């Protein structure tokens, strides 16, 4: 898989997710709806071909898309 598979917004969402923010926190922080946050998460999960948020985080870390 190539580098930079995430959009800037998807990256922002996952950066906040790994900081233990809730969907509600992220929506407030980024001034978008909770549904939009969930859509970004779902789109990322689909792009990666994984099941669930945790697997997406692991794969994004492995790919160097996000860091702890």
């Amino acid at each position: 898989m190539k580098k930079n598979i995430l959009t800037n917004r998807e990256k922002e969402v996952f950066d906040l997710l790994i900081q233990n923010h809730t969907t509600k926190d992220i929506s407030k922080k980024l001034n978008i709806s909770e549904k939009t946050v969930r859509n970004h998460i779902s789109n990322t999960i689909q792009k990666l071909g994984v099941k669930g948020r945790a697997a997406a985080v692991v794969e994004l870390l492995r790919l160097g898309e996000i860091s702890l």
Side-chain angles (χ1 to χ4, degrees), residues 1-51:
M1 198 168 284
K2 66 184 191 319
K3 289 288 268 172
N4 301 326
I5 57 166
L6 297 183
T7 64
N8 288 338
R9 185 60 85 170
E10 289 165 347
K11 185 173 180 343
E12 286 177 309
V13 168
F14 271 86
D15 283 339
L16 292 167
L17 263 182
I18 62 172
Q19 293 171 34
N20 210 27
H21 290 283
T22 65
T23 302
K24 190 175 203 165
D25 294 339
I26 295 168
S27 72
K28 286 180 182 172
K29 198 169 198 85
L30 298 179
N31 200 27
I32 58 178
S33 73
E34 287 183 61
K35 172 129 179 59
T36 301
V37 172
R38 288 191 301 272
N39 286 342
H40 287 309
I41 293 167
S42 294
N43 290 342
T44 301
I45 288 169
Q46 265 191 308
K47 284 181 189 181
L48 296 170
V50 296
K51 289 188 195 254

